[in-house]
């Protein structure tokens, strides 16, 4: 019911004649599916309005924000686009490996990463997924690293892999 009421209120707000809309944590208390539905609605309507949104969810800010301000100790500590903030303050990249089925060992991948990018750290190792935080300084060797991964998929016991920017988190 809470989700439905928020959705109706947001529809009324966006269909009204206001040029500026201020939303204070509009998805707080919602489950993930409801949040994503609200995000889609906000993305569809925000082009014709100025929307100021507060949130504690960094993924929400990343998804919806054209310009993002980070407040710390009651003061704005930085402001910019999500790309600018990630480039300026991000630690690097997340490299995620999907291990072969029936493989629980992360050892071959960990050994490989310690040799090619020794300052990388494990972010998570859950089930078949193993994620490393790879510092920005290793960007120049990414092409070589990917070639080595591709040529050693079977030895490393990897089904697939992918890389992404760090999050605003």
């Amino acid at each position: 019911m809470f989700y439905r009421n928020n959705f109706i209120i947001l529809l009324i707000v966006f269909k009204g004649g206001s040029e500026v809309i201020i939303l204070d944590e509009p998805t707080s208390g919602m489950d993930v599916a409801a949040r994503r539905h609200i995000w889609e609605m906000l993305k569809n309507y925000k082009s014709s309005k100025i929307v100021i949104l507060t949130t504690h969810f960094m993924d929400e800010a990343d998804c919806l924000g054209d310009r993002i301000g980070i407040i710390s100790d009651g003061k704005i500590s930085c402001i910019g686009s999500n790309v600018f903030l990630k480039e300026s303050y991000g630690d690097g990249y997340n490299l995620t490996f999907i291990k072969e089925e029936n493989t629980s060992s992360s050892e071959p991948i960990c050994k490989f990463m310690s040799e090619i990018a020794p300052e990388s750290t494990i972010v998570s190792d859950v089930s078949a997924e193993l994620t490393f935080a790879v510092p920005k300084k290793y960007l120049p060797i990414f092409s070589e690293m990917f070639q080595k991964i591709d040529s050693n998929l079977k030895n490393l016991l990897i089904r697939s892999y992918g890389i992404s920017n760090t999050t605003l988190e």
Side-chain angles (χ1 to χ4, degrees):
M1 190 67 168
F2 175 73
Y3 160 70
R4 186 169 174 242
N5 290 341
N6 275 11
F7 185 73
I8 291 168
I9 290 167
L10 286 173
L11 278 175
I12 292 168
V13 166
F14 276 101
K15 288 297 184 180
S18 299
E19 293 179 21
V20 178
I21 297 169
I22 300 172
L23 301 172
D24 184 21
E25 299 192 36
T27 62
S28 180
M30 291 184 181
D31 63 39
V32 175
R35 284 179 62 213
R36 301 283 186 212
H37 195 74
I38 294 292
W39 290 5
E40 288 305 311
M41 188 189 76
L42 290 172
K43 283 196 276 187
N44 289 335
Y45 286 106
K46 77 177 192 170
S47 63
S48 61
K49 310 280 184 188
I50 296 170
V51 179
I52 301 169
L53 174 114
T54 64
T55 184
H56 283 90
F57 301 118
M58 291 294 100
D59 58 336
E60 185 166 82
D62 194 6
C63 178
L64 297 174
D66 296 323
R67 291 185 48 83
I68 300 165
I70 307 288
I71 298 174
S72 177
D73 294 324
K75 296 180 182 167
I76 294 181
S77 36
C78 55
I79 193 165
S81 70
N82 59 354
V83 173
F84 169 78
L85 294 173
K86 288 175 187 177
E87 285 295 317
S88 299
Y89 303 102
D91 293 335
Y93 302 89
N94 287 335
L95 178 57
T96 302
F97 296 95
I98 306 299
K99 296 180 272 186
E100 286 287 349
E101 287 185 42
N102 303 321
T103 302
S104 60
S105 176
S106 300
E107 190 175 328
I109 303 168
C110 291
K111 184 174 187 241
F112 171 82
M113 288 302 293
S114 70
E115 291 170 1
I116 197 150
E119 292 175 37
S120 299
T121 57
I122 295 174
V123 174
S124 70
D125 187 358
V126 178
S127 188
E129 192 173 286
L130 174 62
T131 302
F132 286 85
V134 182
K136 283 188 221 182
K137 75 182 213 173
Y138 291 108
L139 182 61
I141 67 156
F142 275 13
S143 178
E144 173 192 347
M145 180 172 62
F146 297 149
Q147 288 173 359
K148 285 183 179 181
I149 293 170
D150 286 338
S151 63
N152 287 294
L153 288 172
K154 290 213 185 290
N155 296 337
L156 295 171
L157 306 173
I158 298 170
R159 188 170 19 142
S160 65
Y161 68 95
I163 193 153
S164 61
N165 272 334
T166 56
T167 64
L168 287 175
E169 209 56 58

Short mmCIF file of all heavy atoms in Angstrom, two decimals, residues 76-115:
data_model
loop_
_atom_site.label_atom_id
_atom_site.label_comp_id
_atom_site.label_asym_id
_atom_site.label_seq_id
_atom_site.Cartn_x
_atom_site.Cartn_y
_atom_site.Cartn_z
N ILE A 76 28.30 20.62 1.90
CA ILE A 76 28.53 19.99 0.61
C ILE A 76 30.02 19.77 0.45
O ILE A 76 30.81 20.72 0.48
CB ILE A 76 27.96 20.84 -0.55
CG1 ILE A 76 26.44 20.90 -0.45
CG2 ILE A 76 28.40 20.28 -1.89
CD1 ILE A 76 25.76 21.69 -1.55
N SER A 77 30.43 18.51 0.30
CA SER A 77 31.86 18.22 0.16
C SER A 77 32.29 18.11 -1.30
O SER A 77 33.45 18.34 -1.61
CB SER A 77 32.27 16.97 0.93
OG SER A 77 31.31 15.98 0.91
N CYS A 78 31.37 17.77 -2.19
CA CYS A 78 31.70 17.73 -3.61
C CYS A 78 30.40 17.74 -4.41
O CYS A 78 29.34 17.39 -3.90
CB CYS A 78 32.54 16.52 -3.96
SG CYS A 78 31.83 14.95 -3.47
N ILE A 79 30.51 18.17 -5.66
CA ILE A 79 29.35 18.23 -6.54
C ILE A 79 29.81 18.01 -7.97
O ILE A 79 30.90 18.42 -8.35
CB ILE A 79 28.59 19.57 -6.38
CG1 ILE A 79 27.23 19.52 -7.04
CG2 ILE A 79 29.42 20.73 -6.88
CD1 ILE A 79 26.30 20.65 -6.64
N GLY A 80 29.00 17.29 -8.74
CA GLY A 80 29.33 17.05 -10.15
C GLY A 80 28.50 15.91 -10.70
O GLY A 80 27.64 15.36 -10.02
N SER A 81 28.78 15.55 -11.95
CA SER A 81 28.09 14.41 -12.56
C SER A 81 28.60 13.13 -11.92
O SER A 81 29.68 13.11 -11.31
CB SER A 81 28.36 14.39 -14.07
OG SER A 81 29.71 14.04 -14.31
N ASN A 82 27.87 12.05 -12.11
CA ASN A 82 28.31 10.78 -11.54
C ASN A 82 29.65 10.35 -12.13
O ASN A 82 30.51 9.84 -11.42
CB ASN A 82 27.25 9.68 -11.69
CG ASN A 82 26.87 9.41 -13.13
OD1 ASN A 82 27.29 10.09 -14.07
ND2 ASN A 82 26.03 8.41 -13.31
N VAL A 83 29.87 10.60 -13.42
CA VAL A 83 31.13 10.24 -14.06
C VAL A 83 32.28 11.07 -13.46
O VAL A 83 33.34 10.53 -13.13
CB VAL A 83 31.05 10.44 -15.59
CG1 VAL A 83 32.41 10.23 -16.25
CG2 VAL A 83 30.01 9.51 -16.19
N PHE A 84 32.05 12.37 -13.29
CA PHE A 84 33.07 13.24 -12.71
C PHE A 84 33.42 12.79 -11.29
O PHE A 84 34.59 12.69 -10.93
CB PHE A 84 32.59 14.70 -12.68
CG PHE A 84 33.47 15.60 -11.87
CD1 PHE A 84 34.67 16.08 -12.38
CD2 PHE A 84 33.11 15.97 -10.58
CE1 PHE A 84 35.49 16.90 -11.62
CE2 PHE A 84 33.92 16.78 -9.81
CZ PHE A 84 35.12 17.25 -10.34
N LEU A 85 32.41 12.51 -10.48
CA LEU A 85 32.66 12.09 -9.10
C LEU A 85 33.41 10.77 -9.03
O LEU A 85 34.33 10.60 -8.22
CB LEU A 85 31.34 12.01 -8.32
CG LEU A 85 30.63 13.35 -8.10
CD1 LEU A 85 29.27 13.13 -7.47
CD2 LEU A 85 31.46 14.30 -7.27
N LYS A 86 33.05 9.82 -9.89
CA LYS A 86 33.73 8.53 -9.89
C LYS A 86 35.18 8.68 -10.35
O LYS A 86 36.08 8.06 -9.79
CB LYS A 86 33.00 7.54 -10.80
CG LYS A 86 31.69 7.04 -10.23
CD LYS A 86 30.99 6.16 -11.24
CE LYS A 86 29.61 5.79 -10.79
NZ LYS A 86 28.89 4.99 -11.79
N GLU A 87 35.39 9.51 -11.37
CA GLU A 87 36.76 9.74 -11.86
C GLU A 87 37.60 10.46 -10.82
O GLU A 87 38.77 10.15 -10.62
CB GLU A 87 36.74 10.54 -13.16
CG GLU A 87 36.33 9.74 -14.36
CD GLU A 87 37.30 8.63 -14.71
OE1 GLU A 87 38.53 8.87 -14.68
OE2 GLU A 87 36.83 7.52 -15.00
N SER A 88 37.01 11.45 -10.15
CA SER A 88 37.75 12.27 -9.19
C SER A 88 37.99 11.57 -7.87
O SER A 88 39.04 11.72 -7.25
CB SER A 88 37.00 13.57 -8.92
OG SER A 88 36.87 14.31 -10.11
N TYR A 89 37.00 10.81 -7.40
CA TYR A 89 37.07 10.24 -6.06
C TYR A 89 37.04 8.72 -6.01
O TYR A 89 37.26 8.13 -4.96
CB TYR A 89 35.93 10.79 -5.19
CG TYR A 89 35.94 12.29 -5.10
CD1 TYR A 89 35.05 13.06 -5.85
CD2 TYR A 89 36.84 12.94 -4.27
CE1 TYR A 89 35.07 14.45 -5.78
CE2 TYR A 89 36.86 14.32 -4.20
CZ TYR A 89 35.97 15.07 -4.95
OH TYR A 89 36.00 16.44 -4.87
N GLY A 90 36.77 8.08 -7.15
CA GLY A 90 36.66 6.62 -7.19
C GLY A 90 38.01 5.95 -7.02
O GLY A 90 39.06 6.54 -7.31
N ASP A 91 37.97 4.73 -6.57
CA ASP A 91 39.20 3.98 -6.33
C ASP A 91 39.70 3.26 -7.56
O ASP A 91 40.84 2.83 -7.61
CB ASP A 91 38.97 2.94 -5.22
CG ASP A 91 38.72 3.59 -3.88
OD1 ASP A 91 39.16 4.73 -3.69
OD2 ASP A 91 38.08 2.95 -3.04
N GLY A 92 38.85 3.06 -8.56
CA GLY A 92 39.27 2.33 -9.74
C GLY A 92 38.12 1.56 -10.36
O GLY A 92 37.08 2.14 -10.64
N TYR A 93 38.32 0.26 -10.50
CA TYR A 93 37.36 -0.56 -11.23
C TYR A 93 37.04 -1.82 -10.45
O TYR A 93 37.83 -2.26 -9.62
CB TYR A 93 37.93 -0.93 -12.60
CG TYR A 93 38.29 0.28 -13.41
CD1 TYR A 93 39.56 0.85 -13.32
CD2 TYR A 93 37.36 0.88 -14.24
CE1 TYR A 93 39.89 1.98 -14.04
CE2 TYR A 93 37.68 2.02 -14.97
CZ TYR A 93 38.95 2.56 -14.86
OH TYR A 93 39.26 3.69 -15.56
N ASN A 94 35.89 -2.41 -10.74
CA ASN A 94 35.52 -3.71 -10.17
C ASN A 94 35.62 -4.74 -11.28
O ASN A 94 34.98 -4.61 -12.32
CB ASN A 94 34.10 -3.68 -9.61
CG ASN A 94 34.01 -2.90 -8.33
OD1 ASN A 94 34.98 -2.75 -7.61
ND2 ASN A 94 32.83 -2.39 -8.04
N LEU A 95 36.45 -5.75 -11.07
CA LEU A 95 36.62 -6.84 -12.02
C LEU A 95 35.96 -8.08 -11.42
O LEU A 95 36.37 -8.56 -10.36
CB LEU A 95 38.10 -7.10 -12.27
CG LEU A 95 38.49 -8.24 -13.21
CD1 LEU A 95 37.84 -8.07 -14.60
CD2 LEU A 95 40.00 -8.33 -13.34
N THR A 96 34.91 -8.55 -12.08
CA THR A 96 34.12 -9.68 -11.55
C THR A 96 34.32 -10.92 -12.42
O THR A 96 34.18 -10.84 -13.64
CB THR A 96 32.63 -9.31 -11.49
OG1 THR A 96 32.48 -8.15 -10.67
CG2 THR A 96 31.80 -10.45 -10.92
N PHE A 97 34.65 -12.00 -11.77
CA PHE A 97 34.82 -13.29 -12.43
C PHE A 97 33.66 -14.20 -12.05
O PHE A 97 33.25 -14.23 -10.89
CB PHE A 97 36.12 -13.97 -11.97
CG PHE A 97 37.36 -13.23 -12.34
CD1 PHE A 97 37.96 -12.35 -11.44
CD2 PHE A 97 37.95 -13.41 -13.58
CE1 PHE A 97 39.11 -11.67 -11.78
CE2 PHE A 97 39.10 -12.73 -13.92
CZ PHE A 97 39.70 -11.85 -13.01
N ILE A 98 33.16 -14.95 -13.02
CA ILE A 98 32.17 -16.00 -12.76
C ILE A 98 32.92 -17.32 -12.94
O ILE A 98 33.41 -17.63 -14.03
CB ILE A 98 30.96 -15.94 -13.73
CG1 ILE A 98 30.34 -14.54 -13.73
CG2 ILE A 98 29.95 -17.03 -13.39
CD1 ILE A 98 29.79 -14.08 -12.40
N LYS A 99 33.02 -18.06 -11.84
CA LYS A 99 33.78 -19.31 -11.85
C LYS A 99 32.99 -20.41 -12.56
O LYS A 99 31.76 -20.36 -12.62
CB LYS A 99 34.10 -19.73 -10.41
CG LYS A 99 35.00 -18.74 -9.68
CD LYS A 99 35.31 -19.17 -8.27
CE LYS A 99 34.26 -18.66 -7.31
NZ LYS A 99 34.56 -18.90 -5.90
N GLU A 100 33.73 -21.37 -13.08
CA GLU A 100 33.12 -22.54 -13.71
C GLU A 100 32.17 -23.23 -12.73
O GLU A 100 32.39 -23.18 -11.52
CB GLU A 100 34.20 -23.55 -14.14
CG GLU A 100 34.98 -23.13 -15.36
CD GLU A 100 34.20 -23.25 -16.65
OE1 GLU A 100 33.09 -23.84 -16.66
OE2 GLU A 100 34.68 -22.71 -17.65
N GLU A 101 31.15 -23.88 -13.26
CA GLU A 101 30.24 -24.64 -12.41
C GLU A 101 31.00 -25.71 -11.65
O GLU A 101 32.00 -26.24 -12.14
CB GLU A 101 29.15 -25.30 -13.27
CG GLU A 101 28.13 -24.30 -13.78
CD GLU A 101 27.01 -24.99 -14.51
OE1 GLU A 101 26.54 -26.05 -14.04
OE2 GLU A 101 26.62 -24.46 -15.56
N ASN A 102 30.55 -26.02 -10.47
CA ASN A 102 31.16 -27.03 -9.60
C ASN A 102 32.58 -26.66 -9.16
O ASN A 102 33.38 -27.52 -8.85
CB ASN A 102 31.16 -28.42 -10.26
CG ASN A 102 29.77 -28.85 -10.66
OD1 ASN A 102 28.80 -28.62 -9.93
ND2 ASN A 102 29.65 -29.44 -11.82
N THR A 103 32.90 -25.35 -9.20
CA THR A 103 34.21 -24.89 -8.76
C THR A 103 34.02 -23.94 -7.60
O THR A 103 33.35 -22.91 -7.74
CB THR A 103 34.94 -24.13 -9.90
OG1 THR A 103 35.07 -24.99 -11.01
CG2 THR A 103 36.31 -23.66 -9.45
N SER A 104 34.54 -24.29 -6.48
CA SER A 104 34.43 -23.40 -5.33
C SER A 104 35.74 -22.66 -5.07
O SER A 104 35.76 -21.65 -4.39
CB SER A 104 34.01 -24.18 -4.08
OG SER A 104 34.99 -25.15 -3.79
N SER A 105 36.82 -23.15 -5.65
CA SER A 105 38.13 -22.57 -5.38
C SER A 105 38.34 -21.26 -6.15
O SER A 105 38.14 -21.19 -7.36
CB SER A 105 39.24 -23.55 -5.77
OG SER A 105 40.50 -22.94 -5.59
N SER A 106 38.77 -20.27 -5.42
CA SER A 106 39.11 -18.98 -6.02
C SER A 106 40.62 -18.83 -6.17
O SER A 106 41.10 -17.83 -6.67
CB SER A 106 38.57 -17.84 -5.15
OG SER A 106 37.18 -17.91 -5.03
N GLU A 107 41.35 -19.85 -5.71
CA GLU A 107 42.81 -19.77 -5.65
C GLU A 107 43.48 -19.44 -6.99
O GLU A 107 44.35 -18.56 -7.03
CB GLU A 107 43.38 -21.07 -5.07
CG GLU A 107 44.85 -20.95 -4.75
CD GLU A 107 45.36 -22.20 -4.06
OE1 GLU A 107 44.60 -22.84 -3.32
OE2 GLU A 107 46.54 -22.51 -4.29
N PRO A 108 43.12 -20.10 -8.11
CA PRO A 108 43.81 -19.77 -9.37
C PRO A 108 43.61 -18.31 -9.79
O PRO A 108 44.54 -17.66 -10.25
CB PRO A 108 43.18 -20.72 -10.40
CG PRO A 108 42.46 -21.75 -9.63
CD PRO A 108 42.17 -21.19 -8.28
N ILE A 109 42.42 -17.80 -9.59
CA ILE A 109 42.12 -16.42 -9.96
C ILE A 109 42.88 -15.46 -9.03
O ILE A 109 43.47 -14.48 -9.49
CB ILE A 109 40.60 -16.14 -9.92
CG1 ILE A 109 39.85 -17.10 -10.83
CG2 ILE A 109 40.32 -14.70 -10.32
CD1 ILE A 109 38.35 -17.11 -10.65
N CYS A 110 42.86 -15.76 -7.74
CA CYS A 110 43.57 -14.91 -6.76
C CYS A 110 45.06 -14.86 -7.06
O CYS A 110 45.69 -13.80 -6.99
CB CYS A 110 43.31 -15.39 -5.34
SG CYS A 110 41.62 -15.15 -4.79
N LYS A 111 45.63 -16.00 -7.41
CA LYS A 111 47.07 -16.07 -7.74
C LYS A 111 47.35 -15.22 -8.98
O LYS A 111 48.30 -14.44 -9.02
CB LYS A 111 47.50 -17.52 -7.95
CG LYS A 111 48.98 -17.67 -8.19
CD LYS A 111 49.37 -19.14 -8.25
CE LYS A 111 50.87 -19.24 -8.32
NZ LYS A 111 51.40 -19.85 -9.48
N PHE A 112 46.50 -15.37 -9.99
CA PHE A 112 46.64 -14.60 -11.23
C PHE A 112 46.59 -13.10 -10.93
O PHE A 112 47.44 -12.33 -11.40
CB PHE A 112 45.54 -15.00 -12.22
CG PHE A 112 45.46 -14.10 -13.42
CD1 PHE A 112 46.32 -14.30 -14.49
CD2 PHE A 112 44.52 -13.07 -13.48
CE1 PHE A 112 46.25 -13.47 -15.60
CE2 PHE A 112 44.45 -12.24 -14.59
CZ PHE A 112 45.32 -12.45 -15.66
N MET A 113 45.59 -12.68 -10.16
CA MET A 113 45.44 -11.25 -9.86
C MET A 113 46.61 -10.72 -9.03
O MET A 113 47.03 -9.57 -9.22
CB MET A 113 44.10 -10.98 -9.15
CG MET A 113 42.89 -11.12 -10.05
SD MET A 113 42.90 -10.04 -11.49
CE MET A 113 42.75 -8.44 -10.70
N SER A 114 47.13 -11.53 -8.12
CA SER A 114 48.27 -11.07 -7.31
C SER A 114 49.52 -10.88 -8.15
O SER A 114 50.38 -10.08 -7.82
CB SER A 114 48.54 -12.02 -6.15
OG SER A 114 49.06 -13.24 -6.62
N GLU A 115 49.60 -11.60 -9.27
CA GLU A 115 50.76 -11.46 -10.17
C GLU A 115 50.59 -10.28 -11.12
O GLU A 115 51.53 -9.54 -11.35
CB GLU A 115 50.96 -12.75 -10.96
CG GLU A 115 51.43 -13.91 -10.10
CD GLU A 115 51.38 -15.24 -10.83
OE1 GLU A 115 51.00 -15.29 -12.03
OE2 GLU A 115 51.71 -16.26 -10.18
#
